[in-house]
Amino acid sequence: MTVTLSPLTLDCDFDAGNIQVLDTRDPGRTRLAIRADTHSDHFQWFHFKASGLTPGQIHAFSLDNAGKSSYNKAWSGYQAVASYDQRQWFRIPTRFDGQALVFELYAQHAQAWFAYFEPYSRARHNQLIERARQIPGVELLATGRSVEGRDIALLRAGDGAPGKRKIWLIAQQHPGEHMAEWFLEGLIDRLQANDAAVRQLLASADLYLIPNMNPDGAFRGHLRTNFNGKDLNRAWQDASIEHTPEVFFAQTQMKQQGVDLFLDVHGDEEIPFVFTAGCEGNPGYTPRLAALENTFRTTLCSLTADFQTTHGYPLDAPGKANMALACNAVGEAHDCLSLTLEMPFKDHDDAPNAVTGWSAERSRALAGAVLETVATMVAQLR
Ligand code: ZN
Protein backbone atom coordinates (compact mmCIF):
# COMPACT_ATOMS: atom_id res chain seq x y z
CA MET A 1 0.00 0.00 0.00
CA THR A 2 1.33 3.40 -0.86
CA VAL A 3 0.77 6.06 1.76
CA THR A 4 0.36 9.56 0.42
CA LEU A 5 2.09 11.98 2.72
CA SER A 6 0.83 15.51 3.19
CA PRO A 7 3.21 18.49 3.26
CA LEU A 8 4.47 19.22 6.74
CA THR A 9 4.09 22.37 8.78
CA LEU A 10 7.40 23.73 10.02
CA ASP A 11 7.70 26.12 12.96
CA CYS A 12 10.65 27.80 14.64
CA ASP A 13 8.91 30.80 16.18
CA PHE A 14 10.02 29.96 19.71
CA ASP A 15 12.96 30.22 22.09
CA ALA A 16 16.20 29.10 20.36
CA GLY A 17 14.29 28.31 17.16
CA ASN A 18 16.19 28.54 13.88
CA ILE A 19 15.12 27.29 10.48
CA GLN A 20 14.19 28.70 7.10
CA VAL A 21 11.70 26.72 5.01
CA LEU A 22 12.73 26.32 1.37
CA ASP A 23 10.33 23.71 -0.02
CA THR A 24 7.74 21.51 1.69
CA ARG A 25 6.11 20.05 -1.44
CA ASP A 26 7.81 16.67 -1.00
CA PRO A 27 6.91 15.54 2.54
CA GLY A 28 9.40 12.69 2.13
CA ARG A 29 12.20 15.24 1.88
CA THR A 30 11.44 18.66 3.31
CA ARG A 31 14.04 21.18 2.19
CA LEU A 32 15.28 23.68 4.77
CA ALA A 33 18.13 26.08 5.46
CA ILE A 34 19.79 27.37 8.64
CA ARG A 35 19.49 31.14 9.27
CA ALA A 36 22.62 33.16 9.96
CA ASP A 37 23.18 34.88 13.33
CA THR A 38 21.86 38.46 13.52
CA HIS A 39 24.46 40.91 12.11
CA SER A 40 26.82 38.00 11.39
CA ASP A 41 27.51 35.35 8.74
CA HIS A 42 27.87 32.55 11.29
CA PHE A 43 25.38 29.69 11.24
CA GLN A 44 25.22 26.06 12.38
CA TRP A 45 22.61 25.88 15.17
CA PHE A 46 19.13 24.69 14.12
CA HIS A 47 15.99 23.95 16.08
CA PHE A 48 12.46 23.52 14.73
CA LYS A 49 9.18 21.67 15.12
CA ALA A 50 7.58 19.60 12.35
CA SER A 51 3.84 18.93 12.43
CA GLY A 52 1.75 16.69 10.16
CA LEU A 53 4.13 13.71 10.31
CA THR A 54 2.60 10.37 9.31
CA PRO A 55 3.25 7.77 12.02
CA GLY A 56 4.89 4.66 10.60
CA GLN A 57 6.52 6.61 7.76
CA ILE A 58 10.04 7.93 7.30
CA HIS A 59 10.32 11.71 6.93
CA ALA A 60 13.59 13.21 5.70
CA PHE A 61 14.75 16.78 6.32
CA SER A 62 17.48 18.37 4.25
CA LEU A 63 19.44 21.39 5.53
CA ASP A 64 20.50 22.52 2.08
CA ASN A 65 23.05 25.14 3.16
CA ALA A 66 24.87 22.98 5.75
CA GLY A 67 27.93 22.80 3.50
CA LYS A 68 28.37 26.57 3.85
CA SER A 69 27.99 26.64 7.65
CA SER A 70 30.65 27.98 10.03
CA TYR A 71 32.11 24.54 10.80
CA ASN A 72 31.13 22.55 7.73
CA LYS A 73 33.77 19.87 8.38
CA ALA A 74 32.00 19.13 11.65
CA TRP A 75 28.98 17.51 9.96
CA SER A 76 30.77 14.28 9.14
CA GLY A 77 30.12 11.81 11.95
CA TYR A 78 27.37 14.04 13.35
CA GLN A 79 23.81 12.85 14.10
CA ALA A 80 20.94 15.26 14.67
CA VAL A 81 18.73 15.01 17.78
CA ALA A 82 14.95 14.68 17.82
CA SER A 83 12.23 14.56 20.47
CA TYR A 84 8.48 14.02 20.62
CA ASP A 85 8.02 15.72 23.98
CA GLN A 86 11.02 18.11 24.33
CA ARG A 87 12.19 16.04 27.29
CA GLN A 88 13.54 12.79 25.85
CA TRP A 89 15.96 13.55 23.00
CA PHE A 90 17.56 10.88 20.81
CA ARG A 91 19.91 10.73 17.85
CA ILE A 92 18.51 10.00 14.39
CA PRO A 93 20.17 8.72 11.18
CA THR A 94 22.00 11.63 9.55
CA ARG A 95 24.25 11.96 6.51
CA PHE A 96 26.22 14.81 4.98
CA ASP A 97 26.86 14.83 1.24
CA GLY A 98 29.21 17.82 1.22
CA GLN A 99 26.34 20.27 0.60
CA ALA A 100 23.23 19.17 2.48
CA LEU A 101 22.81 17.63 5.90
CA VAL A 102 19.98 15.10 5.65
CA PHE A 103 18.38 13.43 8.64
CA GLU A 104 15.49 10.99 8.82
CA LEU A 105 12.87 10.25 11.42
CA TYR A 106 10.77 7.11 11.44
CA ALA A 107 7.76 8.93 12.83
CA GLN A 108 5.93 7.58 15.85
CA HIS A 109 3.82 10.68 16.43
CA ALA A 110 2.39 13.46 14.32
CA GLN A 111 4.82 16.09 15.56
CA ALA A 112 8.44 16.17 16.58
CA TRP A 113 11.18 18.65 17.48
CA PHE A 114 14.63 18.63 15.94
CA ALA A 115 17.83 20.40 16.99
CA TYR A 116 21.59 20.53 16.68
CA PHE A 117 21.75 19.58 20.38
CA GLU A 118 19.21 19.28 23.19
CA PRO A 119 18.20 22.94 23.68
CA TYR A 120 18.41 24.76 27.00
CA SER A 121 15.46 27.15 26.99
CA ARG A 122 15.24 30.64 28.49
CA ALA A 123 12.24 29.46 30.53
CA ARG A 124 14.36 26.70 32.04
CA HIS A 125 17.14 29.23 32.64
CA ASN A 126 14.77 31.46 34.62
CA GLN A 127 13.63 28.48 36.69
CA LEU A 128 17.25 27.51 37.29
CA ILE A 129 18.15 30.95 38.65
CA GLU A 130 15.12 30.93 40.95
CA ARG A 131 15.92 27.41 42.15
CA ALA A 132 19.55 28.36 42.79
CA ARG A 133 18.48 31.37 44.86
CA GLN A 134 16.50 29.07 47.15
CA ILE A 135 19.62 27.05 48.03
CA PRO A 136 20.96 28.11 51.44
CA GLY A 137 24.18 30.10 50.98
CA VAL A 138 23.51 30.91 47.31
CA GLU A 139 22.61 34.46 46.26
CA LEU A 140 22.06 36.41 43.07
CA LEU A 141 25.12 38.62 43.47
CA ALA A 142 24.65 40.86 40.42
CA THR A 143 22.67 41.09 37.19
CA GLY A 144 24.13 42.27 33.91
CA ARG A 145 22.24 43.27 30.77
CA SER A 146 22.64 41.91 27.27
CA VAL A 147 22.48 44.13 24.18
CA GLU A 148 18.72 43.53 23.99
CA GLY A 149 18.28 43.99 27.73
CA ARG A 150 18.00 40.40 28.90
CA ASP A 151 19.25 39.57 32.40
CA ILE A 152 22.68 37.99 32.86
CA ALA A 153 22.64 36.41 36.30
CA LEU A 154 25.79 36.14 38.41
CA LEU A 155 25.22 33.70 41.27
CA ARG A 156 27.50 33.26 44.25
CA ALA A 157 27.63 30.19 46.47
CA GLY A 158 29.37 31.22 49.69
CA ASP A 159 29.67 34.31 51.83
CA GLY A 160 32.54 36.14 50.10
CA ALA A 161 34.58 36.12 53.29
CA PRO A 162 38.21 37.29 53.02
CA GLY A 163 40.66 34.49 52.36
CA LYS A 164 38.20 32.31 50.49
CA ARG A 165 39.31 31.11 47.07
CA LYS A 166 37.18 32.49 44.22
CA ILE A 167 36.13 29.88 41.66
CA TRP A 168 34.48 31.23 38.51
CA LEU A 169 32.48 29.23 35.99
CA ILE A 170 30.79 30.85 33.01
CA ALA A 171 28.80 29.20 30.23
CA GLN A 172 27.36 29.68 26.77
CA GLN A 173 29.39 32.64 25.55
CA HIS A 174 28.73 30.88 22.25
CA PRO A 175 24.95 30.73 22.32
CA GLY A 176 24.53 27.59 20.20
CA GLU A 177 26.56 25.59 22.74
CA HIS A 178 23.59 24.61 24.87
CA MET A 179 25.50 21.78 26.60
CA ALA A 180 27.31 24.53 28.51
CA GLU A 181 24.23 25.64 30.43
CA TRP A 182 23.22 22.01 31.00
CA PHE A 183 26.64 21.71 32.64
CA LEU A 184 25.93 24.72 34.89
CA GLU A 185 22.57 23.20 35.81
CA GLY A 186 24.41 20.04 36.88
CA LEU A 187 26.70 22.15 39.04
CA ILE A 188 23.74 23.86 40.70
CA ASP A 189 22.14 20.43 41.25
CA ARG A 190 25.25 19.45 43.22
CA LEU A 191 25.11 22.66 45.27
CA GLN A 192 21.52 21.82 46.08
CA ALA A 193 22.50 18.26 47.09
CA ASN A 194 25.10 19.80 49.47
CA ASP A 195 27.05 16.56 49.69
CA ALA A 196 30.52 16.02 51.18
CA ALA A 197 32.40 17.32 48.13
CA VAL A 198 30.30 20.50 48.06
CA ARG A 199 30.83 21.11 51.78
CA GLN A 200 34.58 20.49 51.41
CA LEU A 201 34.75 22.97 48.53
CA LEU A 202 32.64 25.70 50.10
CA ALA A 203 34.57 25.50 53.39
CA SER A 204 37.44 27.33 51.72
CA ALA A 205 36.05 28.65 48.41
CA ASP A 206 33.18 30.64 46.96
CA LEU A 207 31.69 29.78 43.57
CA TYR A 208 30.82 32.55 41.11
CA LEU A 209 28.53 31.26 38.35
CA ILE A 210 27.21 32.85 35.16
CA PRO A 211 25.00 30.12 33.66
CA ASN A 212 24.31 32.00 30.41
CA MET A 213 26.64 34.71 29.12
CA ASN A 214 24.77 35.26 25.85
CA PRO A 215 20.99 35.20 26.40
CA ASP A 216 20.15 37.17 23.24
CA GLY A 217 22.06 34.79 21.01
CA ALA A 218 20.61 31.73 22.73
CA PHE A 219 17.04 33.01 22.48
CA ARG A 220 17.45 33.94 18.82
CA GLY A 221 18.88 30.58 17.82
CA HIS A 222 22.37 31.90 17.08
CA LEU A 223 25.44 29.71 16.82
CA ARG A 224 28.22 32.08 17.72
CA THR A 225 27.46 35.75 18.38
CA ASN A 226 25.50 38.23 20.48
CA PHE A 227 22.81 40.49 18.98
CA ASN A 228 25.51 42.83 17.60
CA GLY A 229 27.12 39.96 15.70
CA LYS A 230 30.08 39.91 18.11
CA ASP A 231 31.79 36.66 19.13
CA LEU A 232 31.99 37.13 22.90
CA ASN A 233 34.91 34.74 23.22
CA ARG A 234 36.98 37.01 20.99
CA ALA A 235 36.10 40.17 22.93
CA TRP A 236 38.07 39.89 26.17
CA GLN A 237 40.68 42.48 25.18
CA ASP A 238 38.32 45.21 24.04
CA ALA A 239 34.93 44.57 25.68
CA SER A 240 32.60 47.56 25.68
CA ILE A 241 29.18 48.43 27.06
CA GLU A 242 28.08 49.29 23.54
CA HIS A 243 29.20 46.23 21.58
CA THR A 244 29.80 43.43 24.11
CA PRO A 245 28.10 44.40 27.40
CA GLU A 246 27.92 40.71 28.35
CA VAL A 247 31.72 40.39 28.56
CA PHE A 248 32.08 43.88 30.04
CA PHE A 249 29.78 42.84 32.90
CA ALA A 250 31.69 39.61 33.63
CA GLN A 251 35.08 41.32 33.50
CA THR A 252 33.94 44.12 35.80
CA GLN A 253 32.67 41.62 38.36
CA MET A 254 35.88 39.58 38.15
CA LYS A 255 37.96 42.69 38.81
CA GLN A 256 35.84 43.51 41.86
CA GLN A 257 35.76 40.01 43.32
CA GLY A 258 39.06 38.47 42.16
CA VAL A 259 39.60 35.11 40.48
CA ASP A 260 41.58 32.10 41.74
CA LEU A 261 40.26 29.58 39.19
CA PHE A 262 38.36 30.19 35.95
CA LEU A 263 36.48 27.66 33.86
CA ASP A 264 34.83 28.77 30.60
CA VAL A 265 32.35 26.10 29.48
CA HIS A 266 31.81 25.46 25.74
CA GLY A 267 30.81 22.92 23.12
CA ASP A 268 32.97 21.91 20.17
CA GLU A 269 31.34 21.16 16.82
CA GLU A 270 34.06 18.98 15.39
CA ILE A 271 36.00 16.97 17.99
CA PRO A 272 34.12 13.93 19.39
CA PHE A 273 35.69 14.12 22.85
CA VAL A 274 35.46 16.15 26.06
CA PHE A 275 38.68 18.07 26.61
CA THR A 276 40.18 21.24 28.09
CA ALA A 277 42.36 23.95 26.57
CA GLY A 278 44.73 25.88 28.79
CA CYS A 279 46.92 28.98 28.81
CA GLU A 280 50.23 27.54 27.61
CA GLY A 281 50.64 30.37 25.08
CA ASN A 282 50.15 33.20 27.59
CA PRO A 283 53.07 35.58 28.23
CA GLY A 284 52.59 35.06 31.96
CA TYR A 285 52.37 31.26 31.85
CA THR A 286 54.49 29.62 34.55
CA PRO A 287 55.41 26.09 35.73
CA ARG A 288 52.99 26.65 38.63
CA LEU A 289 50.09 27.12 36.21
CA ALA A 290 51.23 24.17 34.08
CA ALA A 291 51.26 21.96 37.18
CA LEU A 292 47.75 23.13 38.16
CA GLU A 293 46.44 22.37 34.66
CA ASN A 294 48.00 18.93 34.84
CA THR A 295 46.53 18.22 38.28
CA PHE A 296 43.07 19.32 37.12
CA ARG A 297 43.16 17.08 34.05
CA THR A 298 44.63 14.07 35.81
CA THR A 299 42.13 14.29 38.66
CA LEU A 300 39.12 14.75 36.37
CA CYS A 301 40.29 11.78 34.25
CA SER A 302 40.40 9.62 37.37
CA LEU A 303 36.83 10.58 38.32
CA THR A 304 34.94 10.07 35.04
CA ALA A 305 35.18 8.16 31.76
CA ASP A 306 33.64 11.25 30.14
CA PHE A 307 36.94 13.15 30.04
CA GLN A 308 40.29 12.54 28.37
CA THR A 309 43.58 14.30 27.61
CA THR A 310 44.65 12.75 24.29
CA HIS A 311 42.43 14.70 21.90
CA GLY A 312 41.92 18.47 21.79
CA TYR A 313 43.17 21.68 20.21
CA PRO A 314 46.78 22.08 19.08
CA LEU A 315 48.87 23.78 21.77
CA ASP A 316 49.72 27.47 21.42
CA ALA A 317 53.42 28.25 21.04
CA PRO A 318 54.92 30.12 24.01
CA GLY A 319 53.80 33.75 23.97
CA LYS A 320 51.48 33.21 20.98
CA ALA A 321 48.10 32.84 22.73
CA ASN A 322 45.08 34.72 21.41
CA MET A 323 44.50 37.05 24.33
CA ALA A 324 40.97 37.92 23.14
CA LEU A 325 39.79 34.53 24.44
CA ALA A 326 38.28 34.50 27.92
CA CYS A 327 40.46 31.65 29.15
CA ASN A 328 43.71 33.35 28.17
CA ALA A 329 42.64 36.86 29.19
CA VAL A 330 41.40 35.83 32.65
CA GLY A 331 44.37 33.49 33.25
CA GLU A 332 46.77 36.30 32.42
CA ALA A 333 44.95 39.06 34.32
CA HIS A 334 44.53 37.00 37.50
CA ASP A 335 47.58 34.69 37.27
CA CYS A 336 45.31 31.73 37.98
CA LEU A 337 44.41 28.28 36.71
CA SER A 338 42.21 29.05 33.71
CA LEU A 339 40.70 26.52 31.32
CA THR A 340 38.25 26.28 28.46
CA LEU A 341 36.18 23.13 28.88
CA GLU A 342 34.85 21.75 25.59
CA MET A 343 32.06 19.17 25.33
CA PRO A 344 31.14 17.60 22.00
CA PHE A 345 28.08 18.12 19.82
CA LYS A 346 28.66 14.54 18.62
CA ASP A 347 29.72 12.07 21.31
CA HIS A 348 32.59 11.36 23.65
CA ASP A 349 34.13 8.56 21.61
CA ASP A 350 35.94 6.99 24.59
CA ALA A 351 32.53 6.15 26.09
CA PRO A 352 29.98 6.42 23.26
CA ASN A 353 26.22 6.25 23.71
CA ALA A 354 24.47 5.18 20.49
CA VAL A 355 21.04 6.44 21.62
CA THR A 356 21.87 9.92 22.93
CA GLY A 357 25.45 10.70 21.90
CA TRP A 358 26.76 13.47 24.15
CA SER A 359 23.69 14.76 25.97
CA ALA A 360 22.24 17.16 28.49
CA GLU A 361 22.35 14.43 31.12
CA ARG A 362 26.03 13.71 30.53
CA SER A 363 26.83 17.43 30.59
CA ARG A 364 25.16 17.71 33.99
CA ALA A 365 26.98 14.65 35.33
CA LEU A 366 30.33 15.99 34.10
CA ALA A 367 29.78 19.12 36.18
CA GLY A 368 29.65 16.97 39.30
CA ALA A 369 33.01 15.40 38.46
CA VAL A 370 34.48 18.88 37.82
CA LEU A 371 33.17 20.08 41.18
CA GLU A 372 34.82 17.11 42.91
CA THR A 373 38.05 17.83 41.03
CA VAL A 374 38.08 21.45 42.13
CA ALA A 375 37.28 20.44 45.71
CA THR A 376 40.51 18.41 45.85
CA MET A 377 42.56 21.32 44.48
CA VAL A 378 41.40 24.34 46.44
CA ALA A 379 44.36 24.43 48.78
CA GLN A 380 46.82 24.38 45.84
CA LEU A 381 45.31 27.24 43.84
CA ARG A 382 47.46 29.96 45.49
ZN1 ZN B 1 32.46 27.87 22.15
Side-chain angles (χ1 to χ4, degrees), residues 173-174 177 223-224 233 264-269 313 340 342:
Q173 288 200 83
H174 292 143
E177 295 164 10
L223 172 72
R224 192 82 182 165
N233 202 29
D264 185 19
V265 186
H266 285 255
D268 185 87
E269 291 80 359
Y313 297 140
T340 306
E342 297 280 356

